[in-house]
Amino acid sequence: MTNTQADKDMQFQIEHLTQQLVIMLMENYGMSMEKAMHTVYGSHTYEKIENANTGLYYQSPVYVMDMLQEELGAALLH
């Protein structure tokens, strides 16, 4: 299986978006890096980010963070 430039670009965007979400969780909720990464990678939002058909990987971190916050709800406050 070969990776096209489009595949590489999409993977880069996914990684960058994920990094931004982790940073936002750390800054906004005081999470450790480990907890923030676990939160992002374990979410349904991340599953949608990885699905090229959703186009979510191409959205702004703030928009995707809103989705993540909605998904997690009160769990973010603990």
Side-chain angles (χ1 to χ4, degrees):
M1 181 170 150
T2 60
N3 283 341
T4 65
Q5 188 60 45
D7 291 337
K8 291 176 185 176
D9 290 346
M10 186 180 90
Q11 190 59 42
F12 174 81
Q13 289 174 307
I14 290 170
E15 290 172 10
H16 179 73
L17 176 58
T18 303
Q19 177 186 30
Q20 293 303 307
L21 294 173
V22 168
I23 290 169
M24 292 169 83
L25 287 173
M26 291 170 59
E27 290 177 351
N28 297 341
Y29 297 98
M31 290 185 183
S32 67
M33 183 182 294
E34 182 179 354
K35 181 173 171 85
M37 290 177 73
H38 179 74
T39 299
V40 172
Y41 286 115
S43 69
H44 293 295
T45 301
Y46 183 73
E47 291 176 17
K48 293 176 186 174
I49 292 168
E50 284 195 308
N51 182 343
N53 295 327
T54 68
L56 194 57
Y57 68 91
Y58 198 63
Q59 300 298 318
S60 76
V62 172
Y63 176 78
V64 179
M65 177 55 81
D66 285 344
M67 290 182 68
L68 183 61
Q69 288 171 317
E70 187 174 316
E71 174 188 341
L72 300 174
L76 282 174
L77 301 175
H78 298 289

